Amino acid sequence: MDLPPVNLAELLRHPDDLDKITTLKAEFMRKKAAVDSQLRSGLREQLETTQAGMNGLSEGQKTVQQIKEEMMKIDKICSESQDMITDFATINLVSQAHRNFGAVETMRHNLETFSQRLDTIDRMLNEDDEDPENMPNLLAIHYELTQLRNIRDDAIEQIQRGDDPGLQSTLEDYFSRLDKYIEWFDVNITLVAMSLINLVIADNNSLVVRFALIIEAEEKSDQRVLALQEALKDHKEMATRFQSITDGAKTVRGYKDKFLKAIKTFAEDQFKESKEKFLGDPDMLDKSLKWYFNDLNAVKIGMAPLMPKKWKIFKTWATIYHGLMHDYLIALIDDPETSSAHTLAIISWPEAYYRKMTKLGMKQDELTPHVIDNREAELVRDFRALIIKFLDEWIDRIYKQECKDFADRNVEGGNLDQDEYGYFRTKNLVDLWRMLREQVDAAGNSKRADVVEGVIDAMFQRLRTRQQSCQKMLEDEAARYELQPLQGQPELDGFQPLQDWLVATANDQIACIDDNEDEGRMAYLSDFRRKFSPLVSPQYMDRAETEIAALRDGYVDLSTWCMTKFAQLVFAVDFRTVMPDFFTPRWYTTNAMASMIATFEEYVSDYKLVLHHSLVDIFIEIFAEELLIRYLSSVRNKGAKFRRQDNFQDKIFDDLSTAFDFFNNLPNPDVGNAIKETWRVSEPFLQLLTVDKEAVPDAFAEFKSQYWDLQISWVEAVLRSRDDFERSMLNAVKARAAQMDVVRGPETIMSKVK
């Protein structure tokens, strides 16, 4: 049996596909076991057939040898008897003349009555045509036709010996009427053969038995002809001396083969009807083939007792039907017009098919080849790939539409929607999850866990990829504003709609994971999990929980990233002219911190109604953290210098007081307290700026002990901004850093201050 080649490169195209190795291994082991079983069965049958053939040859050789020996004995006795009997030659001549006279007389009588007997056959055939359900003359017609065919064959053979072409042509014309009645009879025989199932069901056993007797007689006749042809071929000289043995049929008439062909034709007609029903409705496969098992059951129960046992008619019938079933299903599988729904029905069919055949008495290993050539795994992969193909096409269309909406975001409304709570939302998220549910339904229709699991794996991967693609789309656009030169007025076309999209995208991520238990509403991801969980195995569900947790974390991370990017854009655009002034001489004459806090308050006021309520506090925390990072990093500003005569400590205190006033007035005190705790890092920062030069290493050590991820490069920038900086101060700090044994802990704010 030819199996499709396995391309591991196609099966393991992604790193995540390595998780499928166990499943693939089990699948290939099942396929190997099926192939091994089929090979063993085929080998066993081949050995049995070969052994039976060898036994038959051996018995045939023995029989031929015995016939040869007997004929030699007869020949010897005949030769000896001639010497024993007086006047044997005369007696033999008279006897031969008598036999010839009798043969001529018989032939003359047969030729004279030939036409009359044909008329009798004509009458009987007409009577049978008037009663096609019983055909009372079928056996008699067969007998008469057999006799007349033998008469014709004998006459033609004798004429051929006489080598008289003219006389042979005359004789053939005389016998020409016989062919018409033979064809008529053959039509009736075929009609009966095609109706055997219906005859058995109708309890018309008489006609079935008469049909079987005719086929059995013809089978014996054909076997006799073949045996004599073989004997004549090997022993011509001896056989010619016993010409009378060859009386009867001279050629093989093949009625047994016609009978078997009729079985096949009868089934093929029914398969055509089944195909029409099945193509019209994929759920009709089982019902459209109900006749198949009914026929076999009728053969087993009603027909087998009426047929010769040596025919093993049920096994013969089942073998023919099985071969046709195999061809029927394979043709459907390979038909390009067959839909995926039809393929699914075929995938699930072998199990039910073999179960029913076993009930009828035919084991699976007796039915070869496999009804669909063991292509279940291949078809499952193809069907799974088809669903994934549709999945990819849908996601690609949605992503392209999303990119188009994003590119056209300057239109009124920014190409965004608002949900029932007034939160900004992108337009395509609902379509995405609806499409995923539809594809889960499509996979679930297969009623195969392996199909569903493969599709769900693909969905997990596509959802992760979508998170990454969405972030990249926003990040690439944000880079246009973050990387603009400081000189001149920045190009702000599309900036506010970009901020709206960041808010909408963050809201989308929360919608995917935020289960509203109070309203009994499940988030998209939870609903998705509930959708597919009944369709997969418990073992797969354990792995799926890990994937769902990873997706959930991804949605949280992306929403946080959106808020972080929003804050970074505020600094890159709104504060781009302010931040470079911190810790420079211009800083002392401006109130930049108050201006920045006021701007941020406006942002919070504008967006708190369209931003998911769970993200408002996170947004404030992210902004406060970004402000702190930018503030501390400003020691690297060009011209940044802390001079004692400028009273910079009071200025820093003013900045911190302005920020803390804002934090103290936040609606959520817990958020304000958490932010203020983070901002306490300004105290060791101020220590680095104000302590005496000799105490700088100690101030650094205390700072480092509290914030283990404090970066020495930033400390160097702080020290260089002191008006009393000396190289020895930096060397002392580095020496102290080398002596310290820092215990690593959770990441602190200083890991982000470069």
Short mmCIF file of all heavy atoms in Angstrom, two decimals, residues 608-655:
data_model
loop_
_atom_site.label_atom_id
_atom_site.label_comp_id
_atom_site.label_asym_id
_atom_site.label_seq_id
_atom_site.Cartn_x
_atom_site.Cartn_y
_atom_site.Cartn_z
N LYS A 608 -9.79 59.91 31.29
CA LYS A 608 -10.26 58.98 32.33
C LYS A 608 -11.65 58.41 32.02
O LYS A 608 -12.01 57.33 32.51
CB LYS A 608 -10.24 59.65 33.69
CG LYS A 608 -11.24 60.79 33.85
CD LYS A 608 -11.13 61.39 35.24
CE LYS A 608 -12.11 62.54 35.44
NZ LYS A 608 -11.97 63.13 36.80
N LEU A 609 -12.42 59.12 31.19
CA LEU A 609 -13.76 58.63 30.86
C LEU A 609 -13.75 57.66 29.68
O LEU A 609 -14.71 56.90 29.49
CB LEU A 609 -14.69 59.80 30.54
CG LEU A 609 -14.97 60.77 31.69
CD1 LEU A 609 -15.89 61.88 31.24
CD2 LEU A 609 -15.57 60.02 32.89
N VAL A 610 -12.69 57.69 28.88
CA VAL A 610 -12.62 56.79 27.72
C VAL A 610 -11.58 55.69 27.93
O VAL A 610 -11.41 54.82 27.07
CB VAL A 610 -12.28 57.58 26.44
CG1 VAL A 610 -13.40 58.53 26.10
CG2 VAL A 610 -10.95 58.31 26.57
N LEU A 611 -10.88 55.73 29.07
CA LEU A 611 -9.89 54.71 29.41
C LEU A 611 -10.50 53.76 30.43
O LEU A 611 -11.17 54.21 31.37
CB LEU A 611 -8.64 55.37 29.98
CG LEU A 611 -7.49 54.46 30.42
CD1 LEU A 611 -6.92 53.69 29.22
CD2 LEU A 611 -6.39 55.27 31.09
N HIS A 612 -10.30 52.47 30.25
CA HIS A 612 -10.87 51.48 31.17
C HIS A 612 -10.51 51.85 32.61
O HIS A 612 -9.36 52.21 32.91
CB HIS A 612 -10.35 50.09 30.83
CG HIS A 612 -11.11 48.99 31.50
ND1 HIS A 612 -10.87 48.60 32.79
CD2 HIS A 612 -12.13 48.20 31.05
CE1 HIS A 612 -11.68 47.60 33.12
NE2 HIS A 612 -12.46 47.35 32.08
N HIS A 613 -11.50 51.77 33.48
CA HIS A 613 -11.30 52.24 34.85
C HIS A 613 -10.12 51.57 35.54
O HIS A 613 -9.45 52.19 36.38
CB HIS A 613 -12.58 52.03 35.66
CG HIS A 613 -12.93 50.58 35.86
ND1 HIS A 613 -13.67 49.87 34.93
CD2 HIS A 613 -12.63 49.70 36.86
CE1 HIS A 613 -13.84 48.63 35.36
NE2 HIS A 613 -13.21 48.49 36.51
N SER A 614 -9.84 50.32 35.18
CA SER A 614 -8.72 49.62 35.84
C SER A 614 -7.37 50.13 35.37
O SER A 614 -6.34 49.83 36.00
CB SER A 614 -8.82 48.11 35.57
OG SER A 614 -8.63 47.84 34.18
N LEU A 615 -7.35 50.90 34.28
CA LEU A 615 -6.09 51.39 33.73
C LEU A 615 -5.77 52.82 34.15
O LEU A 615 -4.64 53.29 33.94
CB LEU A 615 -6.11 51.31 32.20
CG LEU A 615 -6.10 49.91 31.59
CD1 LEU A 615 -6.29 49.99 30.08
CD2 LEU A 615 -4.80 49.19 31.94
N VAL A 616 -6.76 53.54 34.71
CA VAL A 616 -6.53 54.94 35.06
C VAL A 616 -5.42 55.06 36.09
O VAL A 616 -4.46 55.83 35.93
CB VAL A 616 -7.83 55.59 35.56
CG1 VAL A 616 -7.56 57.01 36.06
CG2 VAL A 616 -8.88 55.62 34.45
N ASP A 617 -5.51 54.28 37.17
CA ASP A 617 -4.47 54.33 38.21
C ASP A 617 -3.13 53.85 37.66
O ASP A 617 -2.08 54.40 38.01
CB ASP A 617 -4.89 53.48 39.40
CG ASP A 617 -6.04 54.09 40.18
OD1 ASP A 617 -6.29 55.31 40.02
OD2 ASP A 617 -6.71 53.36 40.94
N ILE A 618 -3.18 52.83 36.80
CA ILE A 618 -1.93 52.34 36.21
C ILE A 618 -1.29 53.42 35.35
O ILE A 618 -0.06 53.62 35.37
CB ILE A 618 -2.21 51.07 35.37
CG1 ILE A 618 -2.68 49.93 36.29
CG2 ILE A 618 -0.99 50.65 34.58
CD1 ILE A 618 -3.10 48.68 35.54
N PHE A 619 -2.13 54.15 34.61
CA PHE A 619 -1.63 55.23 33.77
C PHE A 619 -0.93 56.29 34.62
O PHE A 619 0.16 56.78 34.29
CB PHE A 619 -2.80 55.82 32.98
CG PHE A 619 -2.42 56.95 32.07
CD1 PHE A 619 -1.25 56.90 31.32
CD2 PHE A 619 -3.22 58.07 31.96
CE1 PHE A 619 -0.90 57.94 30.47
CE2 PHE A 619 -2.88 59.11 31.12
CZ PHE A 619 -1.71 59.04 30.37
N ILE A 620 -1.54 56.64 35.73
CA ILE A 620 -0.95 57.65 36.61
C ILE A 620 0.37 57.14 37.19
O ILE A 620 1.37 57.87 37.24
CB ILE A 620 -1.94 58.01 37.74
CG1 ILE A 620 -3.19 58.70 37.14
CG2 ILE A 620 -1.28 58.90 38.79
CD1 ILE A 620 -4.31 58.94 38.14
N GLU A 621 0.39 55.89 37.62
CA GLU A 621 1.63 55.33 38.16
C GLU A 621 2.74 55.32 37.12
O GLU A 621 3.90 55.63 37.41
CB GLU A 621 1.37 53.91 38.66
CG GLU A 621 0.52 53.83 39.92
CD GLU A 621 0.36 52.38 40.40
OE1 GLU A 621 1.26 51.58 40.14
OE2 GLU A 621 -0.66 52.08 41.02
N ILE A 622 2.38 54.92 35.88
CA ILE A 622 3.38 54.87 34.81
C ILE A 622 3.91 56.27 34.53
O ILE A 622 5.13 56.46 34.35
CB ILE A 622 2.77 54.24 33.55
CG1 ILE A 622 2.55 52.74 33.77
CG2 ILE A 622 3.66 54.47 32.34
CD1 ILE A 622 1.82 52.04 32.65
N PHE A 623 3.01 57.27 34.47
CA PHE A 623 3.48 58.63 34.22
C PHE A 623 4.39 59.10 35.34
O PHE A 623 5.45 59.71 35.10
CB PHE A 623 2.29 59.58 34.07
CG PHE A 623 2.71 61.01 33.93
CD1 PHE A 623 3.15 61.51 32.72
CD2 PHE A 623 2.70 61.87 35.03
CE1 PHE A 623 3.57 62.83 32.59
CE2 PHE A 623 3.12 63.18 34.91
CZ PHE A 623 3.55 63.67 33.69
N ALA A 624 3.99 58.84 36.58
CA ALA A 624 4.81 59.28 37.72
C ALA A 624 6.19 58.62 37.67
O ALA A 624 7.21 59.27 37.96
CB ALA A 624 4.09 58.94 39.02
N GLU A 625 6.20 57.35 37.32
CA GLU A 625 7.49 56.66 37.24
C GLU A 625 8.34 57.21 36.09
O GLU A 625 9.55 57.41 36.24
CB GLU A 625 7.25 55.16 37.03
CG GLU A 625 8.52 54.33 37.00
CD GLU A 625 8.24 52.85 36.85
OE1 GLU A 625 7.81 52.23 37.85
OE2 GLU A 625 8.46 52.31 35.74
N GLU A 626 7.70 57.46 34.92
CA GLU A 626 8.43 58.01 33.78
C GLU A 626 8.97 59.40 34.11
O GLU A 626 10.09 59.75 33.73
CB GLU A 626 7.51 58.06 32.56
CG GLU A 626 8.20 58.42 31.27
CD GLU A 626 9.16 57.36 30.79
OE1 GLU A 626 8.99 56.18 31.17
OE2 GLU A 626 10.09 57.71 30.03
N LEU A 627 8.17 60.19 34.82
CA LEU A 627 8.61 61.52 35.22
C LEU A 627 9.83 61.43 36.14
O LEU A 627 10.79 62.20 35.98
CB LEU A 627 7.46 62.26 35.92
CG LEU A 627 7.77 63.65 36.47
CD1 LEU A 627 8.23 64.58 35.35
CD2 LEU A 627 6.55 64.24 37.18
N LEU A 628 9.79 60.50 37.07
CA LEU A 628 10.92 60.33 37.98
C LEU A 628 12.17 59.90 37.22
O LEU A 628 13.28 60.41 37.47
CB LEU A 628 10.55 59.28 39.04
CG LEU A 628 11.66 58.92 40.05
CD1 LEU A 628 12.12 60.16 40.81
CD2 LEU A 628 11.15 57.85 41.02
N ILE A 629 12.00 58.94 36.29
CA ILE A 629 13.15 58.47 35.51
C ILE A 629 13.75 59.61 34.69
O ILE A 629 14.98 59.81 34.67
CB ILE A 629 12.72 57.31 34.58
CG1 ILE A 629 12.32 56.08 35.40
CG2 ILE A 629 13.82 56.95 33.59
CD1 ILE A 629 11.64 54.99 34.59
N ARG A 630 12.89 60.37 34.03
CA ARG A 630 13.37 61.49 33.22
C ARG A 630 14.02 62.56 34.10
O ARG A 630 15.02 63.17 33.70
CB ARG A 630 12.20 62.10 32.45
CG ARG A 630 11.45 61.13 31.55
CD ARG A 630 12.04 61.05 30.19
NE ARG A 630 11.26 60.14 29.34
CZ ARG A 630 11.22 60.22 28.02
NH1 ARG A 630 11.93 61.14 27.39
NH2 ARG A 630 10.52 59.36 27.32
N TYR A 631 13.43 62.79 35.25
CA TYR A 631 13.96 63.80 36.16
C TYR A 631 15.36 63.42 36.62
O TYR A 631 16.29 64.24 36.56
CB TYR A 631 13.01 63.95 37.34
CG TYR A 631 13.33 65.12 38.26
CD1 TYR A 631 13.04 66.43 37.88
CD2 TYR A 631 13.92 64.90 39.50
CE1 TYR A 631 13.32 67.50 38.72
CE2 TYR A 631 14.21 65.97 40.36
CZ TYR A 631 13.92 67.26 39.96
OH TYR A 631 14.22 68.32 40.78
N LEU A 632 15.53 62.19 37.08
CA LEU A 632 16.85 61.75 37.55
C LEU A 632 17.85 61.67 36.40
O LEU A 632 19.05 61.91 36.60
CB LEU A 632 16.72 60.38 38.23
CG LEU A 632 15.89 60.34 39.52
CD1 LEU A 632 15.80 58.91 40.05
CD2 LEU A 632 16.49 61.26 40.59
N SER A 633 17.36 61.31 35.21
CA SER A 633 18.27 61.19 34.07
C SER A 633 18.70 62.55 33.53
O SER A 633 19.62 62.63 32.70
CB SER A 633 17.59 60.39 32.94
OG SER A 633 17.28 59.08 33.37
N SER A 634 18.04 63.62 33.99
CA SER A 634 18.37 64.95 33.49
C SER A 634 19.75 65.42 33.92
O SER A 634 20.22 66.47 33.45
CB SER A 634 17.30 65.96 33.94
OG SER A 634 16.06 65.67 33.34
N VAL A 635 20.39 64.69 34.81
CA VAL A 635 21.77 65.06 35.19
C VAL A 635 22.69 64.97 33.98
O VAL A 635 23.81 65.51 34.00
CB VAL A 635 22.29 64.17 36.34
CG1 VAL A 635 21.46 64.37 37.60
CG2 VAL A 635 22.30 62.70 35.91
N ARG A 636 22.24 64.27 32.92
CA ARG A 636 23.05 64.15 31.71
C ARG A 636 22.75 65.28 30.71
O ARG A 636 23.35 65.30 29.62
CB ARG A 636 22.79 62.80 31.04
CG ARG A 636 23.21 61.59 31.88
CD ARG A 636 23.02 60.31 31.10
NE ARG A 636 23.39 59.13 31.87
CZ ARG A 636 24.64 58.66 31.99
NH1 ARG A 636 25.63 59.31 31.39
NH2 ARG A 636 24.89 57.58 32.70
N ASN A 637 21.79 66.17 31.06
CA ASN A 637 21.49 67.28 30.16
C ASN A 637 22.74 68.12 29.90
O ASN A 637 23.59 68.31 30.78
CB ASN A 637 20.39 68.17 30.73
CG ASN A 637 19.02 67.52 30.62
OD1 ASN A 637 18.84 66.57 29.87
ND2 ASN A 637 18.05 68.04 31.37
N LYS A 638 22.80 68.62 28.69
CA LYS A 638 23.91 69.50 28.34
C LYS A 638 23.84 70.78 29.19
O LYS A 638 22.83 71.46 29.23
CB LYS A 638 23.85 69.85 26.86
CG LYS A 638 25.03 70.66 26.39
CD LYS A 638 24.93 70.93 24.89
CE LYS A 638 26.14 71.73 24.41
NZ LYS A 638 26.07 72.02 22.95
N GLY A 639 24.91 71.04 29.91
CA GLY A 639 24.96 72.23 30.76
C GLY A 639 24.44 72.01 32.16
O GLY A 639 24.36 72.96 32.96
N ALA A 640 24.06 70.75 32.49
CA ALA A 640 23.58 70.48 33.86
C ALA A 640 24.72 70.62 34.84
O ALA A 640 25.77 69.99 34.69
CB ALA A 640 22.98 69.09 33.92
N LYS A 641 24.51 71.46 35.88
CA LYS A 641 25.56 71.68 36.89
C LYS A 641 24.90 72.17 38.17
O LYS A 641 24.02 73.04 38.14
CB LYS A 641 26.57 72.72 36.38
CG LYS A 641 27.78 72.88 37.28
CD LYS A 641 28.64 71.61 37.30
CE LYS A 641 29.33 71.38 35.96
NZ LYS A 641 30.27 70.21 36.04
N PHE A 642 25.31 71.55 39.28
CA PHE A 642 24.76 71.92 40.58
C PHE A 642 25.83 72.75 41.31
O PHE A 642 26.85 72.22 41.75
CB PHE A 642 24.39 70.68 41.39
CG PHE A 642 23.28 69.88 40.77
CD1 PHE A 642 23.57 68.76 40.00
CD2 PHE A 642 21.96 70.25 40.94
CE1 PHE A 642 22.55 68.02 39.43
CE2 PHE A 642 20.94 69.51 40.37
CZ PHE A 642 21.22 68.39 39.61
N ARG A 643 25.52 74.06 41.45
CA ARG A 643 26.45 74.97 42.13
C ARG A 643 25.87 75.35 43.48
O ARG A 643 24.69 75.70 43.59
CB ARG A 643 26.69 76.23 41.29
CG ARG A 643 27.39 75.94 39.97
CD ARG A 643 27.61 77.24 39.18
NE ARG A 643 28.34 76.98 37.94
CZ ARG A 643 27.78 76.61 36.80
NH1 ARG A 643 26.45 76.44 36.75
NH2 ARG A 643 28.52 76.41 35.73
N ARG A 644 26.66 75.28 44.47
CA ARG A 644 26.18 75.54 45.82
C ARG A 644 25.65 76.97 45.98
O ARG A 644 24.70 77.21 46.73
CB ARG A 644 27.28 75.26 46.84
CG ARG A 644 27.26 73.78 47.26
CD ARG A 644 28.65 73.17 47.23
NE ARG A 644 28.57 71.74 47.57
CZ ARG A 644 28.28 70.81 46.67
NH1 ARG A 644 28.03 71.12 45.44
NH2 ARG A 644 28.24 69.52 47.02
N GLN A 645 26.28 77.90 45.30
CA GLN A 645 25.82 79.28 45.44
C GLN A 645 24.46 79.51 44.80
O GLN A 645 23.78 80.50 45.08
CB GLN A 645 26.84 80.25 44.83
CG GLN A 645 27.01 80.13 43.32
CD GLN A 645 28.12 79.16 42.94
OE1 GLN A 645 28.44 78.28 43.74
NE2 GLN A 645 28.69 79.32 41.76
N ASP A 646 24.00 78.53 43.93
CA ASP A 646 22.69 78.67 43.28
C ASP A 646 21.55 78.11 44.13
O ASP A 646 20.39 78.16 43.73
CB ASP A 646 22.69 77.95 41.93
CG ASP A 646 23.61 78.63 40.93
OD1 ASP A 646 23.88 79.82 41.09
OD2 ASP A 646 24.06 77.94 39.98
N ASN A 647 21.87 77.55 45.26
CA ASN A 647 20.85 77.00 46.16
C ASN A 647 19.97 75.97 45.43
O ASN A 647 18.74 76.02 45.46
CB ASN A 647 19.98 78.13 46.72
CG ASN A 647 19.27 77.71 48.01
OD1 ASN A 647 19.61 76.69 48.60
ND2 ASN A 647 18.31 78.50 48.43
N PHE A 648 20.59 75.02 44.76
CA PHE A 648 19.86 74.02 43.97
C PHE A 648 18.99 73.11 44.83
O PHE A 648 18.01 72.54 44.36
CB PHE A 648 20.85 73.18 43.14
CG PHE A 648 21.78 72.33 43.94
CD1 PHE A 648 21.41 71.07 44.40
CD2 PHE A 648 23.05 72.80 44.27
CE1 PHE A 648 22.26 70.29 45.13
CE2 PHE A 648 23.91 72.01 45.01
CZ PHE A 648 23.52 70.75 45.45
N GLN A 649 19.36 72.96 46.12
CA GLN A 649 18.58 72.06 46.98
C GLN A 649 17.14 72.56 47.12
O GLN A 649 16.19 71.78 47.09
CB GLN A 649 19.23 71.96 48.36
CG GLN A 649 20.64 71.37 48.33
CD GLN A 649 21.23 71.29 49.71
OE1 GLN A 649 20.69 70.61 50.60
NE2 GLN A 649 22.35 71.97 49.92
N ASP A 650 17.00 73.88 47.27
CA ASP A 650 15.65 74.43 47.39
C ASP A 650 14.85 74.22 46.10
O ASP A 650 13.64 73.95 46.13
CB ASP A 650 15.73 75.93 47.71
CG ASP A 650 16.27 76.18 49.12
OD1 ASP A 650 16.26 75.22 49.92
OD2 ASP A 650 16.72 77.30 49.38
N LYS A 651 15.56 74.35 44.97
CA LYS A 651 14.87 74.17 43.69
C LYS A 651 14.40 72.72 43.51
O LYS A 651 13.27 72.47 43.06
CB LYS A 651 15.81 74.56 42.54
CG LYS A 651 15.15 74.49 41.17
CD LYS A 651 13.94 75.42 41.07
CE LYS A 651 13.34 75.40 39.67
NZ LYS A 651 12.07 76.14 39.59
N ILE A 652 15.26 71.78 43.89
CA ILE A 652 14.85 70.36 43.82
C ILE A 652 13.68 70.11 44.75
O ILE A 652 12.71 69.41 44.41
CB ILE A 652 16.04 69.45 44.17
CG1 ILE A 652 17.10 69.52 43.06
CG2 ILE A 652 15.58 68.00 44.36
CD1 ILE A 652 18.36 68.71 43.37
N PHE A 653 13.75 70.73 45.96
CA PHE A 653 12.66 70.55 46.91
C PHE A 653 11.36 71.10 46.35
O PHE A 653 10.29 70.51 46.53
CB PHE A 653 13.02 71.25 48.23
CG PHE A 653 11.96 71.09 49.28
CD1 PHE A 653 11.81 69.90 49.99
CD2 PHE A 653 11.08 72.14 49.56
CE1 PHE A 653 10.83 69.76 50.95
CE2 PHE A 653 10.09 72.00 50.52
CZ PHE A 653 9.96 70.81 51.22
N ASP A 654 11.43 72.24 45.65
CA ASP A 654 10.22 72.80 45.04
C ASP A 654 9.62 71.83 44.01
O ASP A 654 8.40 71.64 43.95
CB ASP A 654 10.56 74.13 44.35
CG ASP A 654 10.80 75.25 45.37
OD1 ASP A 654 10.40 75.07 46.54
OD2 ASP A 654 11.40 76.27 44.98
N ASP A 655 10.51 71.24 43.18
CA ASP A 655 10.02 70.28 42.16
C ASP A 655 9.34 69.10 42.83
O ASP A 655 8.25 68.66 42.42
CB ASP A 655 11.19 69.79 41.30
CG ASP A 655 11.70 70.86 40.35
OD1 ASP A 655 10.98 71.84 40.14
OD2 ASP A 655 12.80 70.66 39.80
#
